Amino acid sequence: MNKTYVVGNWKMNGSLELVNELNMLKFNPNVKIVVCPPYPYLGICNQKDKVYSLGAQNCYQSLSGAYTGEVSVDHLMETGCEYVVLGHSERRTMCYETDSVVNSKAKTALSVGLTPIICVGEPLATRQSGGFYKKYILDQLEGSLAGLDLESVIVAYEPIWAIGTGVIPTNNEIEEVVQLIKSTFKNIRVLYGGSVKPENVGVLNKIDSLDGFLVGGASLDIDKFQHIIDKS
Ligand code: PGA
């Protein structure tokens, strides 16, 4: 089944050269392509004839003010963003972002019309501790999604042990979590992220309940990214 979204998260990678290579991406009528480069590239990526939508990797929870180094949702709107990735595990771990911070950011993003892509996922130790990972993921979602219009947000299930490791869960493992999320939070869209590559996208694409993929490393190579788009 076709996937609706393929989102490329460049993280703190990429260059002007890669920004120029985005011109080589080909339109795919079945897939909404979203590219999330670092902040400084957003403006230059916002070309009229681009085949992708733009997303940011973060935003601040207040609309404006004395928050040196932060970027507001209005700034993102003015640079052409439609999406914003929130609560990525790297931000949760390295920048101590809690569910409540992610929730505030999502509310602020929605207030200006940005679609939040809210990331959740368990660490390896939690996955290995019996069924506790399910509660862990649901707790993250309950905190991060509190009070939000579920139809206006996208969730990305990204098990931390699969991010950048080349290890991916089985389709059954992914499907179990996607079903759990969709049965608890009605009408929510769910992406899978964590080591999605041209070599495994064909297998992952068999998970009918998934709405798409969040791609890190492989989105930094335009040929690989295109391959994932075309196989999604
Ligand atoms: P990866 O990253 O595809 O490099 O594993 C995914 C992500 O962190 O969003």
Side-chain angles (χ1 to χ4, degrees):
M1 204 178 102
N2 283 330
K3 300 294 174 241
T4 315
Y5 300 92
V6 174
V7 182
N9 172 17
W10 287 13
K11 311 191 181 187
M12 202 178 72
N13 297 302
S15 58
L16 275 180
E17 199 182 333
L18 189 59
V19 168
N20 289 330
E21 285 175 22
L22 285 172
N23 295 332
M24 298 185 319
L25 277 180
K26 289 182 211 71
F27 176 71
N28 184 316
N30 302 315
V31 180
K32 183 107 188 139
I33 307 168
V34 183
V35 177
C36 307
Y39 289 141
Y41 298 139
L42 287 170
I44 0 171
C45 284
N46 190 22
Q47 307 288 335
K48 253 208 188 92
D49 50 355
K50 64 187 186 319
V51 298
Y52 55 90
S53 299
L54 265 181
Q57 300 172 22
N58 183 31
C59 68
Y60 198 61
Q61 55 269 43
S62 297
L63 282 172
S64 65
Y67 303 104
T68 302
E70 296 293 348
V71 169
S72 80
V73 288
D74 285 327
H75 298 145
L76 298 184
M77 290 299 280
E78 283 187 347
T79 45
C81 284
E82 293 173 57
Y83 298 86
V84 58
V85 175
L86 294 175
H88 190 282
S89 64
E90 285 148 17
R91 295 203 60 83
R92 288 178 184 267
T93 311
M94 293 184 292
C95 307
Y96 312 107
E97 285 192 8
T98 60
D99 294 329
S100 132
V101 167
V102 173
N103 183 249
S104 308
K105 290 186 175 195
K107 283 183 175 145
T108 311
L110 284 167
S111 75
V112 297
L114 282 168
T115 301
I117 301 173
I118 297 179
C119 304
V120 293
E122 78 286 358
L124 184 59
T126 308
R127 166 57 68 164
Q128 289 170 336
S129 62
F132 182 66
Y133 61 93
K134 294 186 209 161
K135 178 170 166 26
Y136 183 96
I137 294 162
L138 287 182
D139 282 352
Q140 277 190 320
L141 283 169
E142 256 147 43
S144 306
L145 298 176
L148 304 185
D149 170 17
L150 298 182
E151 290 187 32
S152 305
V153 302
I154 299 174
V155 166
Y157 170 53
E158 297 206 301
I160 296 176
W161 46 278
I163 295 177
T165 59
V167 178
I168 51 163
T170 63
N171 279 13
N172 284 346
E173 285 171 330
I174 297 173
E175 195 141 28
E176 178 193 43
V177 174
V178 176
Q179 299 290 4
L180 178 70
I181 296 172
K182 289 199 171 190
S183 60
T184 313
F185 302 93
K186 301 285 177 237
N187 299 322
I188 205 148
R189 293 163 283 181
V190 183
L191 316 182
Y192 166 77
S195 296
V196 177
K197 308 216 175 313
E199 302 80 45
N200 56 31
V201 69
V203 172
L204 291 169
N205 205 35
K206 298 200 170 111
I207 307 172
D208 282 344
S209 51
L210 267 184
D211 296 289
F213 302 109
L214 180 52
V215 185
S219 71
L220 298 169
D221 179 312
I222 298 299
D223 289 338
K224 288 186 182 170
F225 193 47
Q226 184 73 55
H227 186 108
I228 292 170
I229 293 162
D230 292 340
K231 285 269 150 60
S232 293

